[in-house]
Amino acid sequence: MAKGAKNPISKAVVYVVLLLLIVGLAGFGATNFGGSTQVVGRVGDTEIGLDRYARALEQEISAIEAETGERLPIAQVRERGIDRVVLQRLVSLAALEDEASDLGLSVGDAEVAEQIRQIPAFEGMDGSFDREAYSFALDRVGLSPAEFEEQLREETSRSILQGALVAGVQPPGTFVDTLYDYARQMRDLTVVTFGPDALDEEVPEPGQEELTAYYEANEDAFTLPRRKRITYAWATPEMLTDAVEVDEEALRRLYEERSDQYDQPERRLVERLVFPDTAAAEAALTALEDGETEFDTLVADRGLEAADVDLGTRSRADLAAAGEAVFALDEPGIAGPVETSLGPALYRVNAILSAQTTPFEEAREELRDEYATSAARRELGDMREPVADLLAGGATLEEIAEETGMSLGETVWSPGEASAAGADIDAYEAFRAAALQAQPGDFPEVAELSDGGLFALRVDDVLEPELQPLDAVRAEVVQGWTAQAVQERLVARAEEALARLRDGAAPGEVGGTLREERDVLRDEALEGLPGDLVTTAFAAEEGAGEVVPTADGAAVVVVDAVTVPGGATEEAQAVKQGVRQAAGQGIAQDITQSFTRAIEAQKGISLDQSAVNAVLSQFN
């Protein structure tokens, strides 16, 4: 029997498994699928239980939803093949577990107990293992201690087998050196670019035949995506503010509450530098007055930064005892020394801000908008439940709009694009998310917008991708044809320049804009140039040149020199070590995958589709 106390697989692997068991089971561990079949399949003698498949699938769906922020219905799960990927993953794990069992790999009770004691989920208040917490956690997910410990034993045995497979895997030195040389090789390049300003004459207007040919060759560019025709009812605070009755007394109370905003006293933009004693502060003031130093220098000499002495904008009251000295200045300058709670200090006044008073009449419109918006939000909050009740009672969106005063609208919507109608509601993420999920026949539900508004929508129809008629997109076709014609002419111009370079002309003599790039790496991006220019340069020999189309024209790239990196430096060895580790992990993964596939073929796989369907039905 192989002991697990020193197995080569990190205990983190086991903790991941336990996390799946404890956290993942929270949603599905108690599911009772019923019936006589409790497995979805087996590899050899190892079964894949229904609950295990359900937990794994639930975890995968939750991870995707957390990443995208959108609900993932089971129909999309099946359409994207996520259910099959999860099942295949479990088949691979079962194959390894079955092989570990056949080889007699296991761990003793002492090792299992030690691993359980190290799991944070089973700790008590004092940080040590708590049997009540252990039993409670397992009871919540429908597992007995014996079942959990057996699963832990199987997972650890499988980890021992995987560790034995890949232990000591190291890529050959030649392989690492070759990868390093490939990745760190550099090029010196001369690039000559040709933009639209390099054309000798303007491109003529295209004829009907040319437009038709371009249109037919680029139909994808003029095809509308899959869209949804949506009817919606909505209301926002902005829609309701004009109708809100404003209480004049309430506005005056709000104005008084904001007195510090509308009635601001004279203020100073102030910095404060504290000294250990009065003598030091007075000496610093004398040096400032004599021009021997500057305030910023004093700050730096004390080991401080500007942020350490900056007090920001302060009123006389804010400065307490220092207020009188600071506000005695009629212009920016130095005040002090002044005794403060931190010690004697010098104050630098950088700006004087005059007192400002905003009368109620000037502030009224701003206060009214704020008051009305707040009242409108409250009104919408009170409206949500009645709207939900109306929808639950079978009311249509048209009836909702008539009953509540919400605005009714229609839009043709597709992900990532504004609606054909240009509806403002498309700007709200909540609407876009709801529109993405909704399907024809779905029951409309009331939801909230980011500004406190409400909406509900209905998908009336799904419009499949549609090629727009040429006449409807003529302007876009003309633009596309012209851009293509310009680039074709500039590519021809670049090819002429390359021919001249090959005949011995200097780069500065062939026209275009010249630039030189030195020590360019294979994965480097050159500003203003397409990514495939570097790729093209690295595929060329030293001294060779190529023409590469750019976003607005073409470029000639010439490889002036090829530099092979030296591999003996400290930096090179560090990079090679990283390459060695990454390559080793990749080789280990390939070995494990090949071994697993061989086991599956040898032992045989059997799946129960009806059991699989039973699990999937629990997600509907």
Side-chain angles (χ1 to χ4, degrees):
M1 305 285 271
K3 298 295 180 183
K6 299 294 183 182
N7 78 71
I9 299 298
S10 169
K11 291 180 180 178
V13 175
V14 177
Y15 293 159
V16 169
V17 172
L18 294 170
L19 183 62
L20 299 183
L21 290 172
I22 295 170
V23 178
L25 275 169
F28 262 91
T31 301
N32 180 12
F33 291 97
S36 58
T37 301
Q38 292 300 315
V39 298
V40 296
R42 58 171 47 84
V43 182
D45 297 327
T46 299
E47 297 178 340
I48 303 171
L50 273 74
D51 285 344
R52 184 177 183 181
Y53 178 43
R55 291 193 299 269
L57 185 57
E58 167 69 8
Q59 183 195 23
E60 187 73 13
I61 293 173
S62 297
I64 295 174
E65 289 179 338
E67 182 178 350
T68 62
E70 299 173 353
R71 188 177 67 86
L72 186 63
I74 190 62
Q76 290 187 26
V77 169
R78 303 186 72 166
E79 182 180 341
R80 292 160 59 176
I82 296 172
D83 56 324
R84 296 187 294 276
V85 170
V86 171
L87 184 57
Q88 178 56 54
R89 189 185 305 150
L90 293 180
V91 166
S92 298
L93 294 178
L96 292 172
E97 291 167 7
D98 195 73
E99 182 67 8
S101 176
D102 287 350
L103 293 174
L105 297 178
S106 184
V107 291
D109 292 342
E111 173 61 18
V112 172
E114 178 61 24
Q115 291 181 359
I116 290 174
R117 281 194 292 269
Q118 294 183 30
I119 298 173
F122 302 148
E123 292 178 355
M125 297 295 292
D126 60 355
S128 62
F129 175 76
D130 187 308
R131 177 157 293 278
E132 288 188 5
Y134 176 56
S135 300
F136 177 74
L138 295 183
D139 183 64
R140 287 189 60 196
V141 296
L143 282 177
S144 68
E147 291 172 327
F148 176 74
E149 289 159 16
E150 183 59 29
Q151 289 184 16
L152 177 58
R153 198 184 310 273
E154 291 174 355
E155 297 287 352
T156 307
S157 299
R158 188 189 75 219
S159 297
I160 294 172
L161 175 59
Q162 290 176 293
L165 281 173
V166 301
V169 171
Q170 288 290 336
T174 302
F175 177 74
V176 173
D177 291 341
T178 301
L179 283 181
Y180 174 80
D181 290 346
Y182 177 84
R184 304 295 292 181
Q185 196 178 85
M186 294 183 291
R187 297 284 195 273
D188 289 346
L189 307 177
T190 293
V191 182
V192 183
T193 58
F194 296 88
D197 56 351
L199 289 176
D200 296 329
E201 57 184 19
E202 292 187 2
V203 174
E205 291 290 329
Q208 181 62 36
E209 186 174 331
E210 292 169 313
L211 288 181
T212 301
Y214 180 83
Y215 169 78
E216 292 176 349
N218 298 274
E219 288 186 350
D220 288 349
F222 308 112
T223 297
L224 292 172
R226 189 172 186 266
R227 295 150 295 147
K228 295 178 180 179
R229 193 182 303 279
I230 294 175
T231 297
Y232 59 90
W234 71 318
T236 66
E238 185 179 3
M239 294 178 182
L240 304 183
T241 52
D242 289 342
V244 171
E245 293 186 7
V246 178
D247 184 345
E248 195 73 13
E249 289 302 317
L251 292 185
R252 290 192 175 275
R253 287 195 299 272
L254 187 58
Y255 175 78
E256 292 172 1
E257 292 171 3
R258 304 283 178 81
S259 59
D260 57 342
Q261 176 182 339
Y262 295 115
D263 188 8
Q264 295 185 347
E266 185 178 352
R267 292 155 296 150
R268 298 286 192 270
L269 195 61
V270 181
E271 292 173 307
R272 177 185 63 194
L273 182 59
V274 179
F275 292 85
D277 52 51
T278 302
E282 289 177 344
L285 178 61
T286 300
L288 288 170
E289 292 175 340
D290 293 344
E292 297 175 358
T293 189
E294 296 181 352
F295 191 83
D296 292 333
T297 303
L298 292 173
V299 172
D301 290 345
R302 299 289 300 282
L304 302 174
E305 297 181 358
D308 298 323
V309 299
D310 185 18
L311 296 181
T313 304
R314 297 299 179 98
S315 67
R316 182 189 293 265
D318 293 334
L319 294 173
E324 183 176 352
V326 170
F327 276 77
L329 295 177
D330 296 328
E331 59 184 18
I334 304 297
V338 178
E339 284 296 331
T340 71
S341 59
L342 300 176
L346 294 179
Y347 288 79
R348 179 166 71 173
V349 177
N350 295 311
I352 296 176
L353 306 178
S354 302
Q356 292 183 349
T357 301
T358 303
F360 172 76
E361 290 70 20
E362 293 182 16
R364 186 184 183 285
E365 192 61 30
E366 178 183 342
L367 293 169
R368 187 221 175 270
D369 290 343
E370 182 179 342
Y371 178 90
T373 299
S374 178
R377 286 200 179 100
R378 291 194 298 272
E379 184 177 337
L380 287 169
D382 294 339
M383 185 190 297
R384 178 165 186 166
E385 186 173 346
V387 171
D389 291 342
L390 288 171
L391 289 171
T396 66
L397 295 182
E398 290 78 5
E399 292 169 339
I400 293 290
E402 184 175 351
E403 178 76 17
T404 65
M406 296 177 73
S407 295
L408 192 68
E410 294 182 354
T411 184
V412 177
W413 179 88
S414 65
E417 294 186 6
S419 70
D424 292 340
I425 197 171
D426 287 351
Y428 292 91
E429 176 60 34
F431 175 84
R432 295 196 298 271
L436 179 64
Q437 297 293 336
Q439 299 297 330
D442 285 357
F443 181 79
E445 296 181 1
V446 64
E448 188 170 339
L449 298 170
S450 57
D451 60 0
L454 301 176
F455 77 97
L457 63 83
R458 178 185 70 229
V459 178
D460 298 320
D461 192 16
V462 174
L463 307 177
E464 296 303 324
E466 175 187 1
L467 176 63
Q468 301 175 85
L470 173 57
D471 289 343
V473 291
R474 180 173 294 274
E476 292 89 335
V477 175
V478 170
Q479 184 178 12
W481 180 92
T482 303
Q484 178 177 286
V486 167
Q487 185 169 69
E488 288 173 351
R489 294 188 179 204
L490 291 172
V491 167
R493 178 71 183 276
E495 289 172 345
E496 292 174 3
L498 178 59
R500 292 182 60 193
L501 290 173
R502 287 170 175 165
D503 290 339
E509 298 173 352
V510 298
T513 302
L514 177 65
R515 58 190 285 187
E516 294 182 343
E517 301 289 344
R518 296 294 178 254
D519 297 333
V520 177
L521 290 169
R522 188 180 299 274
D523 59 352
E524 193 167 341
L526 300 180
E527 185 178 358
L529 294 173
D532 59 351
L533 183 140
V534 174
T535 303
T536 300
F538 272 81
E541 299 292 334
E542 185 172 340
E546 298 289 343
V547 172
V548 180
T550 64
D552 62 349
V556 175
V557 56
V558 178
V559 180
D560 297 326
V562 175
T563 304
V564 178
T569 65
E570 250 183 66
E571 179 187 3
Q573 291 303 314
V575 173
K576 285 186 178 183
Q577 181 59 27
V579 172
R580 186 174 292 109
Q581 291 177 352
Q585 291 172 356
I587 294 172
Q589 185 177 0
D590 291 341
I591 291 173
T592 302
Q593 187 177 43
S594 297
F595 180 77
T596 304
R597 295 293 174 264
I599 294 175
E600 293 172 0
Q602 176 187 349
K603 295 178 176 294
I605 302 170
S606 62
L607 298 174
D608 186 338
Q609 190 58 48
S610 62
V612 172
N613 292 338
V615 173
L616 297 177
S617 68
Q618 299 295 316
F619 288 82
N620 290 326

